[in-house]
């Protein structure tokens, strides 16, 4: 009996991995959890990074603002930028995506209304399918400021008049409607709108364009229309007061941390926004750690969670994107050497340490839910023990108006990021693009990771800390906010020169 029991147990142990894999293959991607804690892949470098020393000269150079680069924001108006005496009708747009994709869509919508000599209805933001956020334009942006800044350029209304109240998202979702434009090509020209949308406006007095994201070209546009895009993005889009107030409180707490043992009063949010920064106030950097489950799965890279994690991500990838993730055809080494793997928190920490950030750095973590949670973030926190985020800096009462609302949470992070001494984006994306463009416009320091270089150096397991640091520093000398002129097909929201800027 004992032998038979042992044999059964042995067979069970052999079949257990197969059973687990089969279980994972049928599990819902929303409930699959990591079964193994991720293994840190660069423990030897991390050990050296913990012992790193940075000189005063290195610190001074790191935190010194960018020198003037010979460019300045263009604010002059153009004679063509005037409101027409008679509007051709109303233009509606329905915008999907996250906050920063919607931000770019809003800018384009203003320009399309200008092209058509039409009145723009405040854009409607779709419920985000990933984060289930139903925040409206008026929940995020100061609508009165928006309309006032653009009053001499485009006619804008908060809602449609009663005669067009039927024109809703639900109306267009139930049948084909002659007032809906759903054929706008990606990066359509100004002439396309004149040829295809103007007739609809003339016939019905209203046109609803959906989908709309990325439906306006960046090239071969009149200068005054490009300038209008810049005006919307950099001047008209201001966050609502409660976002700015919370952001100001976080910024002050980062620059002037309370002394150890001092309790923060319930009125600190109100009190701190009235303070003026003290001379020599502390500096801080904002890190946008773009490492969520969607990005991890879409990249098809290995992140150290073992077979269970790889199976879970593969299943998630198949359910969400089907066979459209071509990266999965490459090995992890191939993807990393091409710079196509998002940086893990561990790798971001090593990058920052190599660039000269030390354990006294006040680092603000701007991020949605990090894939792997605190287990992955711990490697970053070991290097930067003064790392903060919204939860650590503000009470639950102070965060009540933004709780559970991804767009408002992102807006606070954006606001803090625009007031930091340095902004670092871990991986490319819409937040990266928007912040890089906005800070470039204001000549503010940023750090853009050299993904291909980092992928290669992290694959080289023979590098010691001095060699790793030298490679990183050398590879990021010209990636800290230096002006790069926009090329054809590139977005002016990421590369604002020369469209939004003039040579001083």
């Amino acid at each position: 009996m004992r032998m038979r029991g042992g044999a059964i147990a042995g067979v069970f142990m052999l079949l257990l991995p197969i059973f687990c894999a089969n279980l994972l293959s049928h599990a819902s991607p929303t409930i699959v959890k990591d079964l193994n804690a991720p293994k840190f892949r660069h423990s030897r470098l991390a050990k050296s990074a913990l012992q790193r020393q940075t000189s005063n000269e290195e610190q001074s150079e790191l935190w010194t603002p960018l020198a003037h680069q010979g460019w300045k924001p263009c604010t002059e108006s153009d004679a063509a930028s005037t409101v027409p005496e008679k509007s051709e009708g109303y233009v509606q747009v329905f915008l999907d995506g996250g906050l920063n994709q919607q931000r770019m869509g809003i800018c384009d919508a203003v320009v399309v209304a200008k092209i058509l000599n039409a009145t723009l209805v405040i854009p409607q933001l779709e419920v985000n399918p990933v984060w289930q956020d139903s925040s409206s334009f008026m929940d995020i942006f100061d609508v009165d400021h928006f309309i006032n800044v653009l009053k001499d350029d485009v006619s804008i209304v908060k809602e449609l008049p009663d005669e067009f109240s039927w024109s809703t998202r639900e109306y267009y979702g139930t049948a084909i409607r002659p007032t809906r434009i759903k054929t706008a090509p990606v990066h359509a020209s100004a002439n396309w709108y004149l040829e295809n949308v103007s007739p609809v406006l003339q016939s019905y007095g209203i046109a609803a364009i959906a989908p709309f994201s990325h439906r306006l070209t960046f090239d071969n546009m009149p200068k005054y229309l490009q300038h209008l895009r810049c005006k919307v993005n950099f001047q008209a889009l201001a966050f609502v007061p409660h976002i700015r107030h919370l952001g100001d409180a976080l910024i002050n707490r980062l620059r002037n941390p309370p002394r150890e043992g001092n309790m923060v009063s319930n009125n600190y949010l109100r009190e701190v926004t009235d303070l003026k920064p003290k001379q020599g106030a502390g500096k801080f950097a904002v890190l946008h750690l773009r490492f969520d489950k969607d990005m991890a799965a879409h990249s098809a890279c290995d992140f150290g969670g073992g077979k269970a994690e790889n199976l879970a991500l593969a299943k998630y990838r198949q359910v969400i994107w089907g066979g459209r993730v071509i990266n999965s055809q490459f090995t992890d080494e191939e993807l990393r050497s091409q710079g196509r793997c998002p940086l893990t928190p561990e790798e971001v920490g090593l990058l920052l340490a190599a660039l000269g950030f030390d354990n006294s750095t006040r680092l603000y973590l701007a991020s949605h839910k990090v894939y792997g949670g605190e287990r992955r973030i711990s490697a970053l926190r070991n290097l930067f023990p003064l790392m903060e985020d919204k939860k650590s800096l503000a009470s639950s009462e102070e965060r009540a108006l933004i709780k559970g609302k991804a767009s408002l949470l992102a807006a606070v992070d954006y606001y803090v990021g625009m007031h930091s001494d340095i902004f670092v984006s871990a991986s490319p994306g819409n937040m990266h693009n928007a912040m890089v463009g906005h800070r470039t416009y204001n000549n503010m320091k940023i750090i853009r990771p050299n993904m291909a270089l980092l992928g290669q150096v992290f694959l080289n397991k023979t590098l010691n800390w001095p060699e790793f640091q030298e490679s990183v520093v050398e590879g990021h000398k010209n990636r800290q906010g230096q002006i790069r002129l926009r090329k054809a097909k590139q977005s002016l929201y990421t590369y604002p020169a020369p469209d939004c800027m003039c040579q001083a």
Side-chain angles (χ1 to χ4, degrees):
M1 290 296 293
R2 288 182 180 176
M3 291 181 61
R4 180 179 296 178
I8 293 173
V11 171
F12 176 76
M13 292 303 293
L14 287 172
L15 293 176
L16 182 61
I18 299 173
F19 171 77
C20 290
N22 189 55
L23 179 65
L24 278 169
S25 69
H26 291 87
S28 167
T30 60
I31 63 173
V32 170
K33 304 293 182 183
D34 300 340
L35 300 185
N36 298 325
K39 295 179 181 178
F40 298 125
R41 302 163 67 105
H42 314 289
S43 55
R44 187 170 57 85
L45 286 175
K47 183 178 179 180
S48 297
L50 284 169
Q51 301 169 351
R52 70 196 185 281
Q53 298 289 331
T54 56
S55 66
N56 291 336
E57 290 76 15
E58 289 174 316
Q59 285 292 298
S60 176
E61 182 179 354
L62 177 67
W63 293 103
T64 298
L66 286 175
H68 182 60
Q69 300 184 67
W71 290 83
K72 65 177 182 178
C74 285
T75 56
E76 67 273 10
S77 298
D78 191 285
S81 193
T82 55
V83 177
E85 293 183 6
K86 181 178 181 297
S87 172
E88 297 295 326
Y90 294 93
V91 169
Q92 284 180 294
V93 296
F94 301 92
L95 302 175
D96 55 13
L99 171 69
N100 293 293
Q101 183 175 334
Q102 291 171 341
R103 183 188 186 100
M104 298 171 197
I106 292 166
C107 299
D108 286 350
V110 171
V111 175
V112 166
K114 181 69 177 177
I115 292 169
L116 298 170
N117 284 333
T119 298
L120 176 68
V121 185
I122 289 294
Q124 182 172 325
L125 310 185
E126 302 281 52
V127 176
N128 190 293
V130 177
W131 299 295
Q132 294 299 309
D133 187 353
S134 58
S135 298
S136 68
F137 183 104
M138 297 182 191
D139 292 330
I140 305 168
F141 300 106
D142 186 330
V143 67
D144 291 326
H145 173 83
F146 180 77
I147 293 174
N148 184 59
V149 169
L150 299 171
K151 68 180 185 299
D152 296 328
D153 302 287
V154 179
S155 175
I156 303 174
V157 295
K158 295 180 181 180
E159 56 187 23
L160 285 167
D162 291 341
E163 63 184 294
F164 293 113
S165 60
W166 48 265
S167 184
T168 64
R169 190 68 182 89
E170 292 72 25
Y171 172 76
Y172 293 110
T174 56
I176 297 174
R177 310 292 187 182
T179 52
R180 179 184 175 185
I181 309 296
K182 59 183 300 185
T183 56
V186 174
H187 298 156
S189 67
N191 284 338
W192 187 93
Y193 283 96
L194 291 171
E195 294 170 3
N196 294 274
V197 183
S198 284
V200 176
L201 286 175
Q202 292 169 6
S203 298
Y204 302 97
I206 188 170
I209 309 172
F212 184 72
S213 295
H214 310 298
R215 289 321 198 265
L216 183 63
T217 184
F218 288 108
D219 301 319
N220 302 315
M221 293 279 284
K223 184 178 179 180
Y224 77 95
L225 292 179
Q226 297 288 63
H227 178 264
L228 181 57
R229 263 176 159 158
C230 308
K231 185 175 182 178
V232 180
N233 194 38
F234 301 126
Q235 297 179 35
L237 286 176
F239 295 122
V240 293
H242 77 84
I243 290 177
R244 302 199 304 269
H245 292 161
L246 178 56
D248 286 334
L250 301 182
I251 293 162
N252 274 281
R253 292 171 196 182
L254 286 161
R255 295 203 183 281
N256 305 284
R259 294 179 182 177
E260 188 175 352
N262 285 1
M263 296 297 291
V264 175
S265 71
N266 292 332
N267 293 324
Y268 190 56
L269 175 59
R270 177 181 57 79
E271 293 166 359
V272 78
T273 53
D274 294 333
L275 291 176
K276 293 182 179 179
K278 298 177 181 178
Q279 187 174 1
K283 298 180 182 295
F284 74 96
V286 166
L287 167 63
H288 181 236
L289 188 59
R290 189 170 182 245
F291 193 75
D292 55 34
K293 188 171 185 177
D294 274 8
M295 188 154 187
H298 197 271
S299 70
C301 300
D302 183 353
F303 298 107
K307 291 183 179 179
E309 179 179 85
N310 290 339
L311 282 169
L313 290 177
K315 179 60 179 177
Y316 184 88
R317 185 185 312 125
Q318 185 63 30
V319 170
I320 300 299
W321 296 292
R324 299 192 299 276
V325 180
I326 60 173
N327 285 351
S328 59
Q329 301 172 6
F330 299 92
T331 66
D332 182 69
E333 288 75 14
E334 289 172 333
L335 292 172
R336 290 186 180 280
S337 64
Q338 297 168 20
R340 297 165 75 176
C341 293
L343 299 176
T344 65
E346 177 192 20
E347 291 167 341
V348 172
L350 293 172
L351 164 66
L352 297 181
L355 290 174
F357 294 91
D358 63 16
N359 60 8
S360 69
T361 298
R362 296 195 65 79
L363 192 64
Y364 176 86
L365 187 60
S367 196
H368 195 57
K369 187 176 181 181
V370 174
Y371 179 60
E374 187 58 36
R375 292 177 301 175
R376 289 196 193 274
I377 296 176
S378 62
L380 178 62
R381 199 179 300 281
N382 287 340
L383 291 171
F384 300 100
L386 300 183
M387 187 168 67
E388 306 277 8
D389 57 22
K390 290 179 287 292
K391 287 186 177 181
S392 67
L393 286 171
S395 68
S396 57
E397 291 79 11
E398 292 170 335
R399 292 181 281 109
L401 292 176
I402 64 172
K403 184 178 180 181
K405 299 177 180 178
S407 292
L408 299 187
L409 292 166
V412 171
D413 286 341
Y414 191 103
Y415 186 86
V416 176
M418 279 305 300
H419 290 80
S420 63
D421 298 282
I422 303 174
F423 177 82
V424 186
S425 183
S427 300
N430 287 324
M431 175 75 161
H432 165 96
N433 294 339
M435 288 296 298
V436 165
H438 206 156
R439 288 180 67 93
T440 298
Y441 181 78
N442 290 331
N443 198 46
M444 302 171 73
K445 185 170 282 190
I446 56 177
I447 293 176
R448 297 182 301 106
N450 186 330
M451 301 297 287
L453 168 72
L454 292 171
Q456 293 163 18
V457 296
F458 281 129
L459 283 172
N460 188 345
K461 301 301 182 182
T462 66
L463 287 179
N464 58 32
W465 179 255
E467 293 169 334
F468 171 79
Q469 185 173 29
E470 182 181 1
S471 295
V472 169
V473 170
E474 186 64 29
H476 289 82
K477 280 186 175 179
N478 295 313
R479 303 181 69 87
Q480 300 189 27
Q482 288 79 6
I483 293 286
R484 294 181 298 160
L485 299 184
R486 187 180 73 84
K487 298 177 182 178
K489 298 184 179 180
Q490 288 183 332
S491 167
L492 64 76
Y493 305 124
T494 308
Y495 305 96
D499 303 273
C500 307
M501 307 180 74
C502 307
Q503 288 184 293

